[in-house]
Amino acid sequence: MKIPWMKRLLSLYGLLFLVFVYAPIMVVVVYSFNSHPVNMMVWKDFTFDWYWSIFGYPTQLNEQTLYVESTDQLLAAVKNSLIVASSTTAFSTILGTMTALALYRYRFRMQPFYQGLLYMPMVMPDIVLGIALLVFFVTFSVKLGLMSIIVGHCTFLISYVFVVVSARLAGMDDTLEQASADLGARPWVTFRRVTLPQILPGVVGGALLAFIISMDDLVITYFIAGVDSTTLPVFIYGMLRRGVKPEINAIATLMLAFSFIIASLGLYLRARN
Amino acid sequence: MARRGDSRRLATLLTPATLFLGIFFLGPLAIMVVYSFLEPGLYGGVEWNFYHWNYGRILGWADGEWEDFDPVYVDIFLRSVRLAFTTVVITLLICYPAALWVSGLSARWRTFAVFIITLPFFVSLVVRLFCWVLILRPSGFLSSVLMGMGIITEPIDIIFTETAVLIGMAYVLLPFMFLPIYASIEKLDRSLLQASSDLGASPRQTFFRVTLPLTLPGIAAGAVLVFIPSLGNFIVPDLLGGAKVVMIGNLVEQQFLSARNWPFGAALSVMIMLVMFSLIIVYLRRLGRAEVRA
């Protein structure tokens, strides 16, 4: 049995751990409402003005400082991110699910090869994959743009969907499929009426994961984004490199809220099943 | 039981992903390896001649005419390995007690704790790093708070040091260490701990002789998952290390986006890839052996 004081010490540590995880995020959120125009870390007043200014509305602060270079660029980056993330999600969810079904359902000689092929993109360092794709696209004169980003994201997101769907398949009841086949249902009907409803939570979970990773990807996109196809993380990274500005607080807070909502939704769906 | 049409269905399911990954994943990696053996062109670009001095420049057999051996590359490589290893140690020390704590909670709280610990993992990397830029820079949160409390009089300058890079790296990679360790503690057979203490072992003995060895697979998995992304990382050293803490990832990025020596950059990334592969192979071998023993 553990001694009580050790348990208490462990609980105390746990709380400290949570503080370490959340405090940095809270700093950004809190200071995104700070109206001090010069020193971001000196608290002056509560304001929503940074939020208004990133969307291009004139505010008192905005007139003094004119920090955001271009709201249009920011919105274009958001739009690009959404286009990329939704296309990649659709494509990688379909391919990932198909592959998971194939590897789960059938036994064949190339199986270990496929396992390796599907795990490799997940462990490949981002920078290696990013420059490999860049070299590839340039060698074959593929124009860098949204299309190249979508292709690039799919190379590793198929694997993520594959893993999530495979986990779901592993816990599935095979007898239902057999019953359906024995009762004369054609394979496609069995898939749509029996298999798909059972693996759907896995598919949705995989899709959400793919969406969020695609939205957040910085390194790979950084190398293969063309001049006019900047995504949101790349845009913010560029802004950060040029200097820390109060608007970034507001943008970061909005992104935090967005990620939290999507992630909570995904985890909620998983918990419900 | 193989039925007719099975192999056709298998082919239908597998072909799209096979083609896609073959062309857009294996293809680019192969071309990158080829590039690393090509001659850099004078004005960026490449000449299609076999050229091994790219590696010579890094490892020491440069021709001395076009390519000079500069020990700085070895230094940067070793520094990256050292920082990546330190990140593994830091995340391990932070996460192990945390995982112990979570596994000791009641079932309901456990799920909730895992949820809130993994939640920040879904937040964009650049946002999580921005948090630390805001905290660590001289006019940042940490200095302001410490100065406000009268502990320091001058702003402290942590940003653009190895410490800052290690903090940022550990922070963004935390979940990769936490989850495997937590999973292995969860799998732990509680009756073994009971048996150990019943047989008179002290809590410390139980921990070092039973808990720790049995959770070693989780630690190994976490170590691999943290080491690989930290080794090639260039975002963290770029934002928190500045020009002072250059890692191999920054070097690769420079070769591609400013120095325009693509073959050399490709050679550097091939080296990152080799380190990754050797780690994975060692890991899988050990894992295989551990499973045989169990």
Side-chain angles (χ1 to χ4, degrees), chain A residues 2-252:
Chain A
K2 286 238 167 69
I3 317 163
W5 67 262
M6 262 178 80
K7 240 184 158 161
R8 222 168 288 159
L9 204 67
L10 206 58
S11 304
L12 185 69
Y13 176 80
L15 290 179
L16 278 175
F17 178 72
L18 288 181
V19 169
F20 176 65
V21 171
Y22 277 91
I25 294 173
M26 290 319 291
V27 169
V28 170
V29 174
V30 168
Y31 281 88
S32 72
F33 298 108
N34 179 15
S35 73
H36 202 297
V38 186
N39 191 332
M40 288 163 69
M41 281 303 148
V42 176
W43 184 264
K44 201 172 154 209
D45 277 314
F46 183 89
T47 179
F48 274 117
D49 281 3
W50 300 120
Y51 291 87
W52 291 118
S53 85
I54 54 176
F55 290 110
Y57 292 100
T59 61
Q60 286 178 327
L61 300 171
N62 201 357
E63 276 162 14
Q64 291 164 10
T65 53
L66 279 176
Y67 270 136
V68 157
E69 34 255 88
S70 164
T71 303
D72 293 343
Q73 275 180 6
L74 175 71
L75 293 181
V78 172
K79 196 177 129 204
N80 284 340
S81 279
L82 288 173
I83 293 174
V84 168
S86 34
S87 326
T88 2
T89 302
F91 193 74
S92 56
T93 303
I94 294 170
L95 257 62
T97 307
M98 282 168 76
T99 319
L101 279 170
L103 261 67
Y104 171 76
R105 184 77 46 77
Y106 304 99
R107 294 281 157 269
F108 52 100
R109 225 180 318 146
M110 294 281 276
Q111 206 132 13
F113 166 78
Y114 274 99
Q115 295 280 359
L117 180 66
L118 284 154
Y119 279 103
M120 214 156 72
M122 292 198 296
V123 288
M124 189 62 64
D126 287 354
I127 193 165
V128 175
L129 190 52
I131 68 140
L133 284 163
L134 171 67
V135 170
F136 176 82
F137 288 135
V138 169
T139 306
F140 291 102
S141 322
V142 177
K143 194 176 162 288
L144 296 181
L146 290 182
M147 212 44 221
S148 64
I149 304 177
I150 292 170
V151 168
H153 284 192
C154 284
T155 55
F156 58 98
L157 289 177
I158 290 174
S159 303
Y160 282 90
V161 176
F162 166 79
V163 168
V164 176
V165 175
S166 295
R168 180 75 198 180
L169 277 167
M172 205 177 77
D173 187 358
D174 295 342
T175 50
L176 290 175
E177 280 189 346
Q178 278 163 22
S180 164
D182 291 346
L183 290 170
R186 317 189 102 249
W188 173 247
V189 176
T190 303
F191 174 74
R192 244 196 38 209
R193 308 283 288 270
V194 181
T195 318
L196 192 60
Q198 282 195 81
I199 61 168
L200 201 60
V203 176
V204 173
L208 279 173
L209 187 67
F211 186 83
I212 218 159
I213 296 178
S214 175
M215 277 298 279
D216 286 351
D217 179 74
L218 171 59
V219 177
I220 291 163
T221 317
Y222 179 72
F223 285 105
I224 57 176
V227 201
D228 51 353
S229 54
T230 308
T231 61
L232 189 55
V234 178
F235 180 76
I236 297 174
Y237 179 59
M239 255 177 117
L240 261 179
R241 274 184 138 182
R242 269 169 280 141
V244 176
K245 292 159 190 171
E247 281 92 345
I248 306 182
N249 276 330
I251 300 174

Side-chain angles (χ1 to χ4, degrees), chain B residues 128-199:
Chain B
R128 279 179 291 159
L129 284 175
F130 170 67
C131 300
W132 282 102
V133 172
L134 217 57
I135 292 171
L136 296 179
R137 55 195 199 119
S139 59
F141 185 73
L142 190 65
S143 283
S144 306
V145 168
L146 290 180
M147 265 161 53
M149 285 160 63
I151 296 174
I152 52 167
T153 49
E154 291 281 297
I156 39 171
D157 214 348
I158 306 181
I159 201 165
F160 304 143
T161 60
E162 282 193 2
T163 315
V165 173
L166 287 172
I167 293 174
M169 208 92 99
Y171 186 72
V172 295
L173 295 172
L174 221 50
F176 290 105
M177 185 60 95
F178 176 82
L179 289 175
I181 292 181
Y182 173 71
S184 69
I185 293 181
E186 276 291 279
K187 261 195 294 187
L188 202 68
D189 189 349
R190 297 294 150 129
S191 56
L192 290 175
L193 304 182
Q194 190 65 47
S196 168
S197 73
D198 286 353
L199 290 170

Side-chain angles (χ1 to χ4, degrees), chain B:
Chain B
M1 230 185 306
R3 267 169 298 160
R4 272 185 59 205
D6 262 14
S7 62
R8 214 186 58 210
R9 230 170 287 143
L10 173 66
T12 324
L13 284 175
L14 269 184
T15 311
T18 310
L19 283 178
F20 189 87
L21 290 178
I23 298 172
F24 295 114
F25 178 71
L26 296 180
L29 291 178
I31 289 183
M32 183 184 74
V33 174
V34 171
Y35 250 70
S36 73
F37 287 105
L38 294 181
E39 191 178 339
L42 273 180
Y43 309 102
V46 284
E47 307 286 334
W48 287 82
N49 307 320
F50 175 75
Y51 195 77
H52 58 83
W53 308 117
N54 295 320
Y55 290 98
R57 195 175 162 195
I58 307 168
L59 298 169
W61 70 84
D63 61 356
E65 193 178 339
W66 296 102
E67 302 284 11
D68 268 322
F69 168 63
D70 192 341
V72 75
Y73 301 121
V74 178
D75 284 350
I76 291 175
F77 205 86
L78 291 179
R79 177 196 288 153
S80 309
V81 171
R82 179 167 53 81
L83 287 179
F85 183 73
T86 317
T87 308
V88 169
V89 174
I90 294 172
T91 48
L92 174 62
L93 291 179
I94 292 177
C95 291
Y96 203 98
L100 273 181
W101 169 64
V102 173
S103 67
L105 296 172
S106 69
R108 258 184 86 182
W109 282 105
R110 218 157 42 207
T111 321
F112 182 66
V114 173
F115 171 71
I116 56 172
I117 288 169
T118 42
L119 195 54
F121 170 60
F122 294 101
V123 175
S124 178
L125 171 81
V126 68
V127 169
R128 279 179 291 159
L129 284 175
F130 170 67
C131 300
W132 282 102
V133 172
L134 217 57
I135 292 171
L136 296 179
R137 55 195 199 119
S139 59
F141 185 73
L142 190 65
S143 283
S144 306
V145 168
L146 290 180
M147 265 161 53
M149 285 160 63
I151 296 174
I152 52 167
T153 49
E154 291 281 297
I156 39 171
D157 214 348
I158 306 181
I159 201 165
F160 304 143
T161 60
E162 282 193 2
T163 315
V165 173
L166 287 172
I167 293 174
M169 208 92 99
Y171 186 72
V172 295
L173 295 172
L174 221 50
F176 290 105
M177 185 60 95
F178 176 82
L179 289 175
I181 292 181
Y182 173 71
S184 69
I185 293 181
E186 276 291 279
K187 261 195 294 187
L188 202 68
D189 189 349
R190 297 294 150 129
S191 56
L192 290 175
L193 304 182
Q194 190 65 47
S196 168
S197 73
D198 286 353
L199 290 170
S202 68
R204 177 209 285 259
Q205 276 173 322
T206 304
F207 178 77
F208 282 107
R209 311 279 291 264
V210 183
T211 313
L212 198 58
L214 285 175
T215 50
L216 224 47
I219 296 177
V224 171
L225 289 177
V226 170
F227 190 88
I228 292 172
S230 21
L231 182 69
N233 208 310
F234 81 94
I235 305 285
V236 180
D238 187 51
L239 291 178
L240 294 171
K244 282 189 207 147
V245 189
V246 175
M247 288 177 68
I248 186 119
N250 305 80
L251 207 55
V252 174
E253 191 237 339
Q254 279 165 24
Q255 296 310 315
F256 275 86
L257 300 181
S258 47
R260 317 259 331 143
N261 187 342
W262 287 26
F264 183 55
L268 287 167
S269 6
V270 168
M271 299 201 41
I272 300 179
M273 199 164 73
L274 287 179
V275 173
M276 179 210 95
F277 275 132
S278 24
L279 256 176
I280 298 272
I281 288 169
V282 170
Y283 172 73
L284 290 178
R285 281 251 177 98
R286 282 287 163 89
L287 193 74
R289 222 177 293 159
E291 267 169 12
V292 169
R293 234 183 292 144

